[in-house]
Amino acid sequence: MSKLRIGVIGMGNMGSDHAKKLNKGIVPEAELTAVSEMDGNRLEDAKTYLQGDIGYFATPDELMDSGLCDAVIIATPHYDHPRLAIMAFTKGLHVLCEKPAGVYTKQVREMNEKARESGRIFGMMFNQRTNPMYRKMHELVHSGELGAIKRVNWIITDWYRSQAYYDSGSWRATWAGEGGGVLINQCPHNIDLLQWICGMPAQVRAFCHEGKWHNIEVEDDVTAYMEFPNGATGVFVTTTADLPGTNRLEITLEMGKLVCENNTLTLHKLGQNEREYCFTTKDGFAKPPVEVSVIETQGDNSQHTGVIASFAKAVLDGTPLIADGEEGINSLMLSNAMHLSSWIGDTVALPIDEDLFLEELNKRIAASKHKVTAGI
Amino acid sequence: MSKLRIGVIGMGNMGSDHAKKLNKGIVPEAELTAVSEMDGNRLEDAKTYLQGDIGYFATPDELMDSGLCDAVIIATPHYDHPRLAIMAFTKGLHVLCEKPAGVYTKQVREMNEKARESGRIFGMMFNQRTNPMYRKMHELVHSGELGAIKRVNWIITDWYRSQAYYDSGSWRATWAGEGGGVLINQCPHNIDLLQWICGMPAQVRAFCHEGKWHNIEVEDDVTAYMEFPNGATGVFVTTTADLPGTNRLEITLEMGKLVCENNTLTLHKLGQNEREYCFTTKDGFAKPPVEVSVIETQGDNSQHTGVIASFAKAVLDGTPLIADGEEGINSLMLSNAMHLSSWIGDTVALPIDEDLFLEELNKRIAASKHKVTAGI
């Protein structure tokens, strides 16, 4: 196999974008061989913007059974991700799945089991992991040169959406259609980066406000407090209603502080470990010297293209993925924990009680109302 | 009365500083006429650094009864503030009290009642209110031109203290000696500014960690989540263990955002109210234009001198104080709410149950241990 033959399932915003890129040959290790889309108009549209010998299918099943693909990219609404991924593994195909992997972790666990059983590659489209700033933060934190993490504050409130956005689809921002709001639609990347860089918290207490700023039934305002296994604490604040919003990720460690804001990564580095300094200095108010530097980050921010290329290479050459399917569980586990904590009004330990989460989610799905909308 | 005759009670760090300034005539409306200090060595020291005709007393009672003072500045350890203030009002003296007003709100309520009964002026030493940046934030928020507050995030983690600091006094960082840690000793100014600028929250859920980073019995790491009466939310994060710490106050309003960091106040101003924009734009992802400007702040940061001068003018001419005694209740109410929420592991509504707070505090005072220390 010289090139990975990829089929894209779902020709919405993301799926059509992936298909176009593959079709233009932007990822040399892969080629677009098929697409599927249940909406007839969209499928016809695809024929106008894609070139060459491509299979067009009305259903994912037909695409998978066509023999045209070695792998699929799943870019459908969230709820279908697990079902389609499992179907693909069962049919012997590799899967690259758009975020979130699913809506609850039990599903994603099953996806990973099926991937293992099938021996196929399961990658997650966590394209923010290709951002050189976050890569550098991950590298610096994991190298150990800055010591243990003490605190993380991420104010990520620049996900502004108007009411028109929510009114554009009857499934949008409903429990039945999306399974959540800003946590499940906008924040999976941030939550993935948080756990990738800082690790998984041991417990979470979150405060999610549903329909606070928009006429929607899911959360559009979240503040989450986290405690990590080593005792570090953290805060994650997000919303789709702040203008202008903020994207400021600050990580304090024993040897200093990393701040990522306005596309700049700044390192404040101590000459000495604070934990040692605290107990050895004779001066109550003194502080050791701090060296402040803007960290030059190298490499392209290849985003989706980079993730697709690494997926193709993983299949072809066995090289590592940018994010594998197990990572889909972690980020969703953290997102689910925030929802569950807010629903039960209490701190929840991780891993969460998945049955309780599903029970609570199902209550909300049962009460979910489809809205009168202007759009698709 | 051409000049207010002030006696300073307590010749520790803050008291001796106030006495020196008054003695040098830095506040034209006031003069230093007496000091008191229970530690004989400190009182002798005061005679070396103060000049002129000044009464030196071993006890606050003698100072107050001397007839040398119209007013007192109370700069003793926290627990003595209420008792001494009430004594002063009873003896017909005006009072300027160092922060915090007391350790629990019931005390401060009584202080204010005694002030009212006596008809004397009761001022609080909230000297950070003279900072032009915070004054400007207060002005901009209260003018209404930015609309209602939606969110406030204050990361105020630059209160670094080493173990040597805590070991420098047996009363330090003990429930019996101080009644709290970073909230009661370092943060009263920040908590006062928060409630002064943003108003009092309706409820608080805080997570206080006691002795997390130091060998102390009180809290040195706090994350508090707040909800305000209008639905705005907020986060307040503080510690004495982060190096380098952060002091970043961000307030998001309907018409934009104010960010105060690194001695710079930045205004991000929308051309249109976001609440209106959200429901009228037809575009799901668009954002109205934002004008970003660094706000020039005018006036001196007069700090303690400014507060003492305004106190003297309030007595002499009836002009307004920078912060009156009632403000001492607000900031302490908020600080007490954070403690209480963490102690009971639940959200608390404000005003808090003061009896429950005192009961919980008394449990901790009863179990409080004086430490073996190197110092005073």
Side-chain angles (χ1 to χ4, degrees):
Chain A
M1 201 188 306
S2 64
K3 283 195 179 196
L4 186 67
R5 300 178 306 151
I6 295 183
V8 177
I9 300 176
M11 286 291 104
N13 288 338
M14 293 313 306
S16 59
D17 193 57
H18 299 329
K20 286 176 198 168
K21 281 186 177 138
L22 283 167
N23 193 227
K24 283 181 186 156
I26 287 174
V27 180
E29 300 84 357
E31 60 182 328
L32 181 73
T33 51
V35 301
S36 77
E37 168 59 54
M38 307 194 54
D39 179 301
N41 292 333
R42 278 196 183 165
L43 190 61
E44 286 308 307
D45 273 358
K47 293 176 184 169
T48 65
Y49 58 70
L50 298 174
Q51 277 89 45
D53 191 18
I54 290 168
Y56 293 91
F57 300 99
T59 66
D61 310 54
E62 291 169 89
L63 179 144
M64 291 187 203
D65 291 335
S66 68
L68 294 175
C69 311
D70 312 308
V72 291
I73 295 178
I74 299 175
T76 62
H78 320 161
Y79 273 114
D80 284 332
H81 293 179
R83 181 178 65 83
L84 293 173
I86 288 167
M87 187 194 297
F89 293 132
T90 307
K91 293 175 187 288
L93 302 170
H94 307 279
V95 172
L96 178 58
C97 186
E98 265 293 342
K99 55 84 193 167
V103 171
Y104 50 96
T105 48
K106 282 185 85 163
Q107 295 176 310
V108 187
R109 205 173 301 287
E110 198 185 342
M111 292 161 83
N112 276 283
E113 278 162 22
K114 295 294 178 188
R116 269 193 298 276
E117 284 169 24
S118 70
R120 295 303 180 269
I121 298 289
F122 177 20
M124 281 299 305
M125 186 66 89
F126 285 132
N127 48 288
Q128 286 292 328
R129 287 202 188 179
T130 68
N131 184 319
M133 280 195 309
Y134 297 127
R135 288 217 313 268
K136 191 69 190 179
M137 288 182 98
H138 177 268
E139 180 193 320
L140 281 166
V141 168
H142 285 253
S143 74
E145 65 177 288
L146 298 175
I149 294 179
K150 296 160 71 179
R151 186 182 317 285
V152 52
N153 293 308
W154 200 345
I155 303 173
I156 171 67
T157 52
D158 69 347
W159 285 119
Y160 190 70
R161 297 292 184 266
S162 70
Q163 185 64 39
Y165 165 81
Y166 290 115
D167 291 342
S168 71
S170 61
W171 55 276
R172 277 205 192 282
T174 61
W175 293 113
E178 288 204 88
V182 64
L183 287 177
I184 210 80
N185 188 308
Q186 282 76 32
C187 283
H189 290 300
N190 309 110
I191 292 174
D192 172 61
L193 291 170
L194 182 68
Q195 69 87 15
W196 184 52
I197 298 171
C198 300
M200 287 290 278
Q203 57 183 52
V204 172
R205 177 67 172 98
F207 306 86
C208 303
H209 296 270
E210 298 170 358
K212 183 188 183 85
W213 305 107
H214 305 86
N215 295 329
I216 55 174
E217 63 189 33
V218 295
E219 81 287 352
D220 57 3
D221 195 294
V222 176
T223 304
Y225 167 74
M226 298 165 285
E227 292 185 9
F228 292 82
N230 78 336
T233 61
V235 172
F236 183 84
V237 181
T238 191
T239 184
T240 53
D242 279 9
L243 264 187
T246 295
N247 182 358
R248 183 180 187 280
L249 171 56
E250 171 184 278
I251 303 175
T252 308
L253 305 102
E254 290 174 336
M255 290 292 292
K257 181 169 73 171
L258 284 164
V259 182
C260 182
E261 188 177 13
N262 301 325
N263 291 314
T264 306
L265 176 59
T266 309
L267 169 64
H268 305 250
K269 192 168 185 188
L270 300 174
Q272 190 179 353
N273 186 306
E274 183 281 323
R275 296 285 69 210
E276 178 189 287
Y277 182 82
C278 178
F279 293 97
T280 50
T281 178
K282 303 295 178 204
D283 189 323
F285 294 88
K287 300 170 186 175
V290 181
E291 197 178 309
V292 181
S293 56
V294 172
I295 300 288
E296 294 295 325
T297 51
Q298 292 178 336
D300 292 338
N301 189 357
S302 58
Q303 295 283 352
H304 300 101
T305 310
V307 176
I308 298 172
S310 90
F311 172 69
K313 284 182 218 165
V315 174
L316 299 173
D317 309 324
T319 52
L321 289 163
I322 285 176
D324 68 26
E326 288 288 340
E327 304 281 339
I329 296 180
N330 285 343
S331 59
L332 194 59
M333 173 69 75
L334 185 42
S335 156
N336 285 179
M338 292 180 190
H339 271 128
L340 184 60
S341 166
S342 188
W343 291 339
I344 66 172
D346 206 350
T347 299
V348 298
L350 277 75
I352 62 165
D353 179 337
E354 297 185 338
D355 292 326
L356 178 61
F357 175 83
L358 192 51
E359 188 185 313
E360 290 288 330
L361 176 63
N362 280 334
K363 280 187 209 169
R364 284 159 181 83
I365 291 172
S368 180
K369 288 190 179 71
H370 272 228
K371 301 159 297 170
V372 177
T373 67
I376 42 173
Chain B
M1 202 191 301
S2 63
K3 284 195 178 196
L4 185 69
R5 302 178 306 152
I6 295 182
V8 177
I9 300 174
M11 288 289 104
N13 288 339
M14 294 312 307
S16 60
D17 193 56
H18 300 327
K20 285 175 198 169
K21 281 186 176 138
L22 283 166
N23 194 227
K24 282 180 187 158
I26 286 173
V27 180
E29 300 84 356
E31 61 183 328
L32 181 74
T33 53
V35 300
S36 77
E37 169 57 55
M38 306 194 56
D39 179 299
N41 291 334
R42 278 195 182 167
L43 190 62
E44 285 308 306
D45 273 357
K47 293 176 185 171
T48 65
Y49 59 71
L50 298 175
Q51 278 87 44
D53 191 17
I54 289 167
Y56 293 91
F57 300 99
T59 67
D61 311 53
E62 291 170 272
L63 179 145
M64 292 187 202
D65 291 333
S66 69
L68 293 176
C69 310
D70 312 308
V72 291
I73 295 177
I74 299 175
T76 63
H78 320 162
Y79 272 115
D80 284 331
H81 293 179
R83 182 178 66 82
L84 293 172
I86 289 166
M87 187 195 295
F89 293 132
T90 307
K91 292 175 186 289
L93 300 171
H94 307 279
V95 171
L96 179 58
C97 186
E98 265 293 344
K99 56 81 194 170
V103 170
Y104 51 96
T105 48
K106 282 185 85 163
Q107 295 177 310
V108 187
R109 207 173 300 285
E110 196 185 344
M111 293 161 84
N112 276 283
E113 278 162 22
K114 295 294 179 188
R116 271 193 297 276
E117 284 170 24
S118 71
R120 295 302 184 270
I121 299 288
F122 176 20
M124 281 299 303
M125 187 66 90
F126 284 132
N127 47 287
Q128 285 293 329
R129 287 203 189 180
T130 69
N131 185 318
M133 281 195 309
Y134 298 126
R135 289 217 311 268
K136 191 70 190 178
M137 289 183 97
H138 177 268
E139 182 193 319
L140 282 167
V141 168
H142 285 254
S143 73
E145 66 178 288
L146 298 176
I149 294 178
K150 295 160 72 181
R151 186 182 318 284
V152 51
N153 293 309
W154 200 344
I155 303 172
I156 170 70
T157 51
D158 68 346
W159 285 118
Y160 190 70
R161 298 290 184 268
S162 70
Q163 185 64 38
Y165 164 82
Y166 290 115
D167 291 343
S168 71
S170 61
W171 54 276
R172 276 204 193 280
T174 61
W175 294 114
E178 287 204 89
V182 64
L183 287 177
I184 209 80
N185 188 307
Q186 282 77 31
C187 282
H189 290 300
N190 310 109
I191 293 174
D192 172 61
L193 291 170
L194 182 68
Q195 68 87 16
W196 184 52
I197 298 170
C198 300
M200 287 289 278
Q203 57 184 53
V204 172
R205 177 67 171 99
F207 306 86
C208 303
H209 296 269
E210 299 170 357
K212 183 187 183 83
W213 304 108
H214 305 87
N215 295 328
I216 56 175
E217 62 188 33
V218 295
E219 82 285 353
D220 55 5
D221 195 294
V222 176
T223 303
Y225 167 74
M226 298 167 285
E227 293 186 7
F228 292 82
N230 77 338
T233 61
V235 172
F236 183 85
V237 181
T238 191
T239 183
T240 53
D242 279 8
L243 262 187
T246 295
N247 181 358
R248 183 181 188 279
L249 171 57
E250 170 184 276
I251 303 176
T252 307
L253 305 103
E254 290 174 336
M255 291 290 294
K257 181 169 75 169
L258 285 163
V259 182
C260 182
E261 188 175 13
N262 301 325
N263 290 315
T264 305
L265 176 59
T266 308
L267 170 63
H268 305 249
K269 193 170 182 185
L270 300 174
Q272 189 180 355
N273 186 306
E274 182 281 322
R275 295 285 70 210
E276 181 188 286
Y277 182 82
C278 179
F279 293 97
T280 51
T281 179
K282 302 296 178 205
D283 189 324
F285 293 89
K287 300 170 186 175
V290 181
E291 197 177 309
V292 181
S293 56
V294 171
I295 300 289
E296 294 295 325
T297 52
Q298 293 180 334
D300 292 337
N301 189 356
S302 57
Q303 294 284 351
H304 300 102
T305 310
V307 175
I308 298 172
S310 90
F311 173 68
K313 284 182 216 164
V315 174
L316 299 174
D317 308 324
T319 52
L321 290 162
I322 285 177
D324 69 24
E326 288 287 341
E327 305 281 339
I329 296 179
N330 286 343
S331 59
L332 194 58
M333 174 68 76
L334 185 42
S335 155
N336 285 179
M338 292 179 191
H339 271 126
L340 184 59
S341 166
S342 188
W343 291 340
I344 67 173
D346 206 349
T347 299
V348 298
L350 277 75
I352 62 165
D353 180 337
E354 297 185 337
D355 292 326
L356 177 61
F357 176 84
L358 192 52
E359 190 185 310
E360 289 289 329
L361 176 63
N362 280 333
K363 279 187 209 167
R364 285 160 180 82
I365 291 172
S368 180
K369 289 191 179 71
H370 271 226
K371 302 158 297 174
V372 177
T373 68
I376 43 174

Coordinates of all heavy atoms in Angstrom, one line a residue, chain A residues 7 29 31 37 42 97 109 122 124 156 187 213 215 218 233 268 278 324 340 346 357:
Chain A
G7 N -11.9 7.2 2.9 CA -13.3 7.6 2.7 C -13.7 8.6 3.8 O -13.4 8.4 5.0
E29 N 0.7 11.0 1.8 CA 0.5 9.6 2.2 C -0.9 9.1 2.0 O -1.1 7.9 2.3 CB 0.9 9.5 3.7 CG 2.4 9.9 4.0 CD 2.5 11.4 4.3 OE1 1.5 12.1 4.2 OE2 3.6 11.8 4.6
E31 N -5.0 9.3 -0.1 CA -5.8 9.8 -1.2 C -7.3 9.7 -0.8 O -7.6 8.7 -0.1 CB -5.4 9.1 -2.5 CG -5.7 7.6 -2.4 CD -5.3 6.9 -3.7 OE1 -5.4 7.5 -4.7 OE2 -4.9 5.7 -3.6
E37 N -22.7 10.8 2.3 CA -23.5 11.9 2.9 C -25.0 11.5 2.7 O -25.4 11.2 1.6 CB -23.2 13.2 2.2 CG -24.1 14.4 2.5 CD -24.2 14.7 4.0 OE1 -23.1 15.0 4.6 OE2 -25.3 14.7 4.5
R42 N -26.3 17.8 -0.4 CA -24.9 17.9 -0.1 C -24.1 16.9 -0.9 O -22.9 17.3 -1.2 CB -24.7 17.6 1.4 CG -25.0 18.8 2.3 CD -24.4 18.5 3.7 NE -24.8 19.5 4.6 CZ -24.6 19.4 6.0 NH1 -24.2 18.2 6.5 NH2 -24.9 20.4 6.8
C97 N -11.3 9.7 13.9 CA -12.6 10.2 14.3 C -12.6 11.7 14.7 O -11.7 12.1 15.4 CB -13.1 9.4 15.5 SG -14.8 9.7 16.0
R109 N -15.2 3.7 25.2 CA -14.5 2.5 25.7 C -14.7 1.4 24.7 O -13.8 0.6 24.3 CB -14.9 2.2 27.1 CG -14.0 1.4 27.9 CD -14.4 1.3 29.4 NE -14.7 2.6 30.0 CZ -13.7 3.4 30.4 NH1 -12.4 3.0 30.3 NH2 -14.0 4.5 31.0
F122 N -6.9 3.5 15.4 CA -8.0 4.3 15.8 C -7.3 5.7 16.2 O -6.7 5.8 17.3 CB -8.7 3.7 17.0 CG -9.9 4.5 17.5 CD1 -10.4 5.6 16.8 CD2 -10.4 4.2 18.8 CE1 -11.5 6.3 17.4 CE2 -11.4 4.9 19.4 CZ -12.0 6.0 18.7
M124 N -7.7 10.0 16.8 CA -8.6 11.1 17.1 C -8.1 12.4 16.5 O -7.0 12.7 16.5 CB -8.7 11.3 18.7 CG -9.5 10.3 19.4 SD -11.3 10.4 18.9 CE -11.7 12.1 19.1
I156 N -10.7 30.1 28.9 CA -10.9 29.9 27.5 C -12.3 30.3 27.1 O -13.2 29.4 27.0 CB -10.5 28.4 27.1 CG1 -10.9 28.1 25.7 CG2 -11.0 27.4 28.1 CD1 -10.1 28.9 24.6
C187 N -15.3 22.8 23.3 CA -14.1 22.6 24.1 C -13.4 21.3 24.1 O -12.4 21.2 24.8 CB -14.5 22.9 25.6 SG -14.6 24.6 26.0
W213 N -27.0 32.3 28.6 CA -26.8 33.5 27.7 C -27.5 33.3 26.3 O -27.5 34.2 25.5 CB -25.3 33.7 27.4 CG -24.5 33.8 28.6 CD1 -23.6 32.9 29.1 CD2 -24.4 34.9 29.5 NE1 -23.0 33.3 30.3 CE2 -23.5 34.6 30.5 CE3 -25.1 36.1 29.6 CZ2 -23.2 35.4 31.6 CZ3 -24.8 37.0 30.6 CH2 -23.8 36.7 31.6
N215 N -30.9 31.1 24.1 CA -32.1 30.3 24.2 C -31.7 28.8 23.7 O -32.0 28.4 22.6 CB -33.2 30.8 23.4 CG -33.7 32.2 23.9 OD1 -33.6 32.5 25.1 ND2 -34.1 33.1 23.0
V218 N -28.8 23.4 26.7 CA -27.5 22.9 27.2 C -26.6 24.0 27.8 O -27.0 25.2 27.7 CB -26.7 22.1 26.1 CG1 -27.5 20.9 25.7 CG2 -26.4 23.0 24.9
T233 N -3.9 22.1 41.8 CA -5.3 22.5 41.6 C -5.4 23.2 40.3 O -4.4 23.6 39.7 CB -5.8 23.4 42.7 OG1 -5.0 24.6 42.7 CG2 -5.8 22.7 44.1
H268 N 8.6 31.8 32.7 CA 9.1 32.5 33.9 C 9.9 31.4 34.7 O 9.2 30.6 35.3 CB 8.0 33.1 34.8 CG 7.1 34.0 34.0 ND1 7.1 35.4 34.2 CD2 6.1 33.8 33.1 CE1 6.1 35.9 33.4 NE2 5.6 35.0 32.8
C278 N 11.5 27.5 49.7 CA 10.5 27.9 50.7 C 11.0 27.5 52.1 O 10.8 28.2 53.0 CB 9.2 27.2 50.4 SG 7.9 27.5 51.6
D324 N -4.3 9.0 19.9 CA -5.0 7.7 19.6 C -6.3 7.7 20.3 O -6.7 8.6 21.0 CB -4.1 6.5 20.0 CG -3.9 6.4 21.5 OD1 -4.7 6.8 22.3 OD2 -2.9 5.8 21.8
L340 N -21.4 16.0 35.0 CA -22.0 15.2 36.1 C -21.9 16.0 37.4 O -22.8 16.0 38.2 CB -21.3 13.8 36.2 CG -21.8 12.9 37.3 CD1 -23.3 12.6 37.0 CD2 -21.0 11.6 37.3
D346 N -22.1 18.4 43.2 CA -21.1 17.9 44.1 C -19.8 17.6 43.4 O -19.8 17.5 42.2 CB -21.6 16.6 44.8 CG -21.0 16.4 46.2 OD1 -20.0 17.1 46.5 OD2 -21.5 15.5 46.9
F357 N -23.6 8.7 35.0 CA -23.6 9.8 34.0 C -24.6 9.5 32.9 O -25.4 10.4 32.5 CB -22.2 9.9 33.4 CG -22.2 10.9 32.2 CD1 -22.0 12.2 32.5 CD2 -22.4 10.5 30.9 CE1 -22.0 13.2 31.5 CE2 -22.4 11.4 29.9 CZ -22.2 12.8 30.2

